[in-house]
């Protein structure tokens, strides 16, 4: 493995390499929590790499439990290169040995997780060979370079919304009036009810799970979001009935995810759901336009969100709205399952 002093050199070289791979990637996180397992490859110049392993357990009843396994073993790998597959392969072999000595890694509700830069394509074949599945993506949209956002009027929303363009084209036309409005404290139950549908939909794709406490956890999350003076949470109503939700965190609340991206300030979109009967008519596009307008006007440099890599609705939708992959979460479940 790399000696302690040598690790600093690996971090510096890895940082230079990563900037070439993707200018939105941050530098290596030296302060990230980890279990202290010595994981490193080298010292040959061809495969210099260090990694950290974090053992993470979800709080009982927390919303985190719905986004994945209850116990997660998470690897952050820093590869200086130039031989990325060789360095990563050595790290994964060492990590497998480390996890083999950790009790409980064969239990059902556990996962081994590697969060890998999406554009670092040289690691993909190695991750597949070790038995990891690319299940989730953290995607980023950089704000348009505008000094001041234009005034928002219903006409400008209609004109600029991607929904407006395609209502004239391939989109479905639905009867009844659609109204997009901000959600308030009185909407906690409506927001939680729409939000649980995101979890139910996404649970088809391998990482997300509805738990017995999910609805209660979503109510608590919604109450926190809606306690803000002007929440970044919007509802769409058709003839007065709530049919869609978009909920986002302003930069102050998105501090937990901000270190994943080089630009600041960063906002985070937590939940987006459109009722099945409403999909394809531009409702999702209208909500996103509303959110982007607020974020751009607030000077947000980058908006982040997670989507499930296998969700056939969200992947093209977010791509259309300016998001591109930043980090891909590769998982093996249970944690001992990678080979
Ligand atoms: C992803 C989602 C929010 C998009 O909302 P939406 O209201 O369908 O979005 P829009 O109508 O603005 O755009 C959907 C696109 O699919 C097309 N589409 C056409 N018919 C469709 C249909 N029956 N269902 C879905 N999309 C359809 C639309 O034309 C549009 O494509 P375009 O941009 O090329 O015009 C919605 O599908 C959804 O709630 N999915 C389930 C939950 C989910 O995936 N949430 C996101 C988690 S990250």
């Amino acid at each position: 493995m790399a000696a302690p002093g040598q690790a600093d050199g690996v971090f510096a070289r890895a940082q230079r390499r990563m900037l070439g791979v993707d200018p939105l990637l941050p530098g290596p996180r030296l302060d990230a929590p980890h279990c202290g397992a010595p994981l490193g490859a080298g010292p040959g110049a061809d495969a210099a790499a260090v990694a950290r392993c974090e053992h993470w357990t979800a709080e009982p009843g927390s919303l985190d439990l719905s986004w994945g396994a209850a116990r997660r073993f998470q690897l952050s790998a820093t590869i200086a290169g130039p031989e990325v597959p060789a360095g990563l392969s050595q790290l994964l072999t060492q990590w497998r040995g480390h996890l083999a000595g950790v009790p409980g890694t064969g239990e059902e509700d556990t996962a081994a997780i590697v969060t890998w830069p999406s554009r670092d394509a040289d690691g993909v074949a190695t991750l597949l060979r070790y038995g990891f599945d690319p299940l989730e993506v953290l995607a980023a949209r950089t704000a348009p370079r505008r000094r001041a956002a234009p005034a928002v009027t219903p006409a400008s929303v209609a004109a600029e919304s991607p929904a407006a363009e395609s209502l004239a084209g391939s989109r479905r036309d639905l009867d009844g009036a659609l109204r997009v409005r901000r959600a308030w404290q009185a909407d906690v139950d409506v927001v939680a009810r729409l939000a649980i549908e995101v979890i139910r939909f996404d649970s088809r794709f391998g990482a997300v799970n509805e738990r017995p406490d999910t609805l209660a956890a979503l109510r608590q999350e919604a109450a926190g979001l809606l306690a803000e003076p002007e929440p970044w949470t919007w509802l769409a109503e058709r003839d007065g009935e709530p049919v869609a939700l978009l909920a986002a965190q302003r930069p102050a609340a998105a501090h937990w995810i901000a270190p994943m991206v080089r630009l600041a300030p960063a906002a985070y979109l937590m939940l987006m759901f459109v009722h099945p009967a409403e999909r394809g008519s531009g409702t999702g596009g209208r909500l996103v336009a509303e959110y982007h307008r607020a974020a751009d006007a607030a000077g947000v440099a980058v908006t982040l969100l997670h989507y499930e890599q296998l969700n056939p609705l969200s992947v093209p939708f977010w791509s259309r709205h300016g998001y591109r992959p930043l980090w891909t979460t590769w998982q093996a479940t249970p944690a001992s399952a990678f080979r």
Side-chain angles (χ1 to χ4, degrees), residues 181-187 191 226 230-231 233-235 245:
R181 68 166 177 90
R182 216 179 268 269
W184 306 108
Q185 269 172 312
D187 296 310
V191 168
L226 300 182
E230 286 211 313
T233 300
W234 288 268
L235 291 169
L245 161 76

Side-chain angles (χ1 to χ4, degrees), residues 14-310:
Q15 174 136 15
R16 283 196 293 278
R17 190 178 79 79
M18 295 324 293
L19 276 176
V21 168
D22 184 344
L24 277 188
L25 289 172
R29 290 189 64 188
L30 306 180
D31 60 340
H34 62 100
C35 70
L39 302 171
D46 284 351
V50 289
R52 288 179 170 177
C53 168
E54 181 190 0
H55 300 197
W56 181 93
T57 304
E59 291 284 327
S62 69
L63 188 55
D64 279 331
L65 266 172
S66 302
W67 299 128
R71 275 185 86 198
R72 300 174 206 168
F73 301 90
Q74 309 185 130
L75 188 83
S76 325
T78 305
I79 316 268
E83 293 300 325
V84 174
L88 180 59
S89 179
Q90 286 184 52
L91 290 177
L92 292 176
T93 300
Q94 287 176 8
W95 192 39
R96 189 177 52 204
H98 163 63
L99 291 185
V102 176
T105 52
E107 286 169 16
E108 200 184 325
D109 206 357
T110 63
I113 296 176
V114 181
T115 303
W116 184 255
S118 304
R119 290 188 177 177
D120 202 355
D122 287 348
V124 168
T126 307
L127 288 159
L128 288 170
R129 189 158 48 81
Y130 276 76
F132 288 92
D133 296 317
L135 293 187
E136 288 183 329
V137 167
L138 178 66
R141 164 198 176 263
T142 47
R145 288 200 181 82
R146 278 189 276 167
R147 280 184 185 273
V152 181
T153 63
S156 67
V157 170
E160 286 186 35
S161 156
E165 292 155 24
S166 57
L167 277 169
S170 65
R171 292 261 170 96
R172 300 161 64 214
D173 279 324
L174 296 177
D175 294 334
L178 186 81
R179 174 180 173 234
V180 171
R181 68 166 177 90
R182 216 179 268 269
W184 306 108
Q185 269 172 312
D187 296 310
V188 165
D189 283 341
V190 172
V191 168
R193 271 204 320 274
L194 287 166
I196 200 165
E197 297 303 331
V198 185
I199 288 175
R200 288 178 181 154
F201 190 82
D202 274 347
S203 65
R204 292 162 168 87
F205 308 118
V208 173
N209 307 298
E210 184 179 353
R211 308 273 185 170
D213 293 332
T214 296
L215 188 58
L218 283 168
R219 262 204 206 98
Q220 202 178 336
E221 191 69 36
L225 285 169
L226 300 182
E228 288 178 21
E230 286 211 313
W232 279 5
T233 300
W234 288 268
L235 291 169
E237 295 173 331
R238 188 163 298 276
D239 292 333
E241 280 301 306
V243 293
L245 161 76
L246 184 157
Q249 294 177 322
R250 290 168 191 271
H255 55 85
W256 62 278
I257 193 85
M260 299 298 283
V261 65
R262 179 166 294 272
L263 294 178
Y268 180 74
L269 184 143
M270 298 186 67
L271 297 157
M272 169 100 201
F273 181 76
V274 175
H275 191 280
E278 190 75 27
R279 288 179 198 154
S281 66
T283 303
R286 279 201 47 192
L287 285 167
V288 171
E290 203 71 48
Y291 166 52
H292 284 167
R293 216 177 303 278
D296 296 345
V300 167
V302 60
T303 49
L304 300 172
L305 55 86
H306 280 102
Y307 59 72
E308 303 307 297
Q309 178 64 68
L310 294 173

